[in-house]
Amino acid sequence: MLNFSKKLIDWYLQNKRALPWRTTRDPYYIWLSEIILQQTRVEQGTPYYFRFTSTFPTIKALADADEDTVLKLWQGLGYYSRARNLHSTAKKIAYEYDSIFPDTYKEIVKLKGVGDYTASAIASICFDEPTAVVDGNVYRVLSRIFGIDTPIDSTLGKKEFKALAQKLIDVRDPATFNQAIMEFGATQCKPKNPYCLHCPFNTDCIAFQQGKIESLPYKAGKTKVRDRFFNYLILKTPSAHTLLQKREEKGIWQGLFDFPLLESDVDLEKTELIAQLDLFSLKGVSGSVAFKSLKIKSIVLESNEPIIHKLSHQKLNVKFWVVRIADTSELQTIPIADFKKYAVPRVIDRFMESFDFENY
DNA sequence: AACCCGGGGGG
DNA sequence: CCCCCAGGGTT
């Protein structure tokens, strides 16, 4: 096509949104925005961008924070490894690179939590390096305009689209080109109901000409969702304390806190739960503590129906059980009033918003 | 190559 | 209900 880049950039200059990170080329802010925006819509990520830039105005401020503080600020955004890698990389840049952000794609892509897309975005936007970004928007725009049906979730597809984007990029202004193609995908060449009728490419676009807009981009993979059954035990002592435990192991919500969790293969009734509690243990002050060894006063299921919490590839069936126990020195309990200081999964935060600890 | 990792919103 | 979002890491 003749002058793809010029058409695209002309469209962009007329239609771009005023986004907060578009007022700077400081690699710290661009990097931060890119990490926040991974698999995340602009509207969802923007409040977090403001939160982070105001709490941590410099990369050193971020580096010097506790990981728990960073995770708390990230709470609710999901994909928490992004926050852990963000913090780890901030420390590295602050203390090994004297707070100087690396300035080439080759060096940037080595950073933890930074892949091909993010490195290309930072290198082009901050340092004018002509390396093409390929995100979900770019797949959509290129697959449609050029009529490419190679699966975007295949190795071949990734290579093919990267090469095409790299061929098309405007080496005179890669920063604008990269942002333009993403903006175009986000607001014009949308997944559903794109604005084809007044699209600057509608005479070129193969998908539009052939009526294939709905079927492109093509994805081969199918994500299968597995069912899990979570029983959270909300301990309550006479002094209004409860127990939160940090999730250290790999898996969902690593680094966040939650209540003692008994996972089962199926949904449990109260008698079944009590049977399984025989073998259940908690993280205690010194080693694990058998649930049986506690002085149980009552166990009450908070709501009859499990709360359904959907993740991309898991369907969580969550029940909250309130367990009144006697005071014990075996457990490092916290005042329930301190709950809000901890980074917790969304499903727990939401539950606690409408839960009255006093009633039990 | 396949799988894992959150949460929200649009249609 | 399904799909997608300024993807990256691990196995």
Side-chain angles (χ1 to χ4, degrees):
Chain A
M1 176 196 325
L2 201 60
N3 235 333
F4 177 83
S5 171
K6 176 168 173 33
K7 271 192 183 179
L8 181 66
I9 289 178
D10 284 350
W11 174 90
Y12 177 66
L13 296 179
Q14 294 298 319
N15 295 282
K16 68 174 178 177
R17 293 167 291 179
L19 301 178
W21 43 89
R22 286 192 176 149
T23 61
T24 179
R25 296 183 67 180
D26 182 330
Y28 168 52
Y29 293 99
I30 298 300
W31 165 63
L32 175 62
S33 72
E34 294 298 346
I35 301 299
I36 288 173
L37 292 173
Q38 287 170 2
Q39 291 294 287
T40 303
R41 291 172 198 282
V42 166
E43 308 80 61
Q44 188 187 1
T46 299
Y48 287 83
Y49 178 79
F50 286 128
R51 232 192 263 184
F52 272 80
T53 51
S54 63
T55 308
F56 308 121
T58 64
I59 197 164
K60 186 169 184 308
L62 176 57
D64 289 341
D66 292 330
E67 182 176 289
D68 285 346
T69 304
V70 177
L71 282 169
K72 181 62 188 177
L73 216 57
W74 198 273
Q75 175 179 304
L77 197 53
Y79 286 144
Y80 297 94
S81 68
R82 289 186 292 172
R84 289 185 277 111
N85 289 335
L86 182 83
H87 185 230
S88 161
T89 293
K91 281 187 177 305
K92 186 174 189 68
I93 294 178
Y95 289 103
E96 293 181 29
Y97 303 164
D98 195 25
S99 293
I100 310 292
F101 211 97
D103 62 357
T104 63
Y105 170 90
K106 194 178 172 204
E107 294 303 312
I108 297 169
V109 79
K110 294 178 185 169
L111 301 173
K112 207 180 295 184
V114 173
D116 178 73
Y117 162 76
T118 304
S120 299
I122 299 171
S124 61
I125 294 171
C126 304
F127 306 112
D128 294 315
E129 187 174 334
T131 119
V133 294
V134 180
D135 70 339
N137 295 306
V138 176
Y139 282 125
R140 189 166 52 255
V141 171
L142 295 184
S143 66
R144 285 175 174 171
I145 295 181
F146 293 90
I148 303 169
D149 60 4
T150 313
I152 62 171
D153 53 354
S154 67
T155 305
L156 176 63
K158 289 181 172 67
K159 278 182 57 182
E160 194 174 336
F161 283 98
K162 175 78 182 184
L164 176 55
Q166 192 62 40
K167 193 183 83 182
L168 293 169
I169 195 171
D170 188 338
V171 296
R172 296 165 305 174
D173 193 355
T176 304
F177 178 91
N178 275 343
Q179 295 183 79
I181 193 168
M182 291 191 284
E183 186 81 345
F184 184 76
T187 67
Q188 172 87 15
C189 193
K190 301 179 297 173
K192 305 288 182 188
N193 306 319
Y195 303 134
C196 296
L197 294 185
H198 54 94
C199 173
F201 295 103
N202 61 10
T203 57
D204 312 292
C205 182
I206 294 182
F208 181 61
Q209 300 298 336
Q210 302 183 354
K212 292 180 177 170
I213 286 291
E214 297 293 327
S215 60
L216 291 175
Y218 177 66
K219 245 182 177 171
K222 59 282 175 225
T223 49
K224 44 178 182 286
V225 177
R226 93 178 142 121
D227 255 278
R228 299 179 73 180
F229 300 89
F230 283 11
N231 295 279
Y232 275 123
L233 307 179
I234 305 181
L235 268 44
K236 180 182 181 183
T237 71
S239 53
H241 279 54
T242 191
L243 181 62
L244 279 180
Q245 311 181 132
K246 189 163 186 165
R247 297 177 63 89
E248 306 280 7
E249 63 281 7
K250 300 280 185 188
I252 58 172
W253 305 328
Q254 185 184 357
L256 273 61
F257 290 81
D258 63 359
F259 297 112
L261 170 59
L262 190 160
E263 183 172 2
S264 49
D265 295 331
V266 296
D267 184 64
L268 297 185
E269 302 300 322
K270 182 172 179 179
T271 54
E272 298 167 322
L273 176 81
I274 289 174
Q276 299 214 10
L277 283 173
D278 257 6
L279 299 172
F280 190 66
S281 61
L282 311 165
K283 295 176 188 168
V285 177
S286 52
S288 73
V289 172
F291 184 84
K292 287 167 65 170
S293 70
L294 301 175
K295 299 216 177 344
I296 311 300
K297 298 179 176 175
S298 70
I299 299 179
V300 178
L301 178 58
E302 211 281 335
S303 68
N304 288 321
E305 285 306 303
I307 295 171
I308 306 301
H309 186 70
K310 289 182 175 177
L311 307 180
S312 5
H313 53 288
Q314 297 183 19
K315 177 184 172 191
L316 307 181
N317 302 260
V318 184
K319 281 183 169 174
F320 291 93
W321 306 81
V322 184
V323 181
R324 288 173 52 239
I325 63 170
D327 282 311
T328 168
S329 57
E330 300 295 304
L331 302 175
Q332 184 139 29
T333 57
I334 62 156
I336 190 62
D338 287 352
F339 170 82
K340 58 180 176 300
K341 297 178 182 173
Y342 294 83
V344 299
R346 195 79 177 88
V347 64
I348 291 183
D349 193 46
R350 187 176 286 144
F351 174 79
M352 291 301 283
E353 282 292 315
S354 59
F355 172 65
D356 192 358
F357 201 67
E358 307 284 334
N359 287 347
Y360 294 85

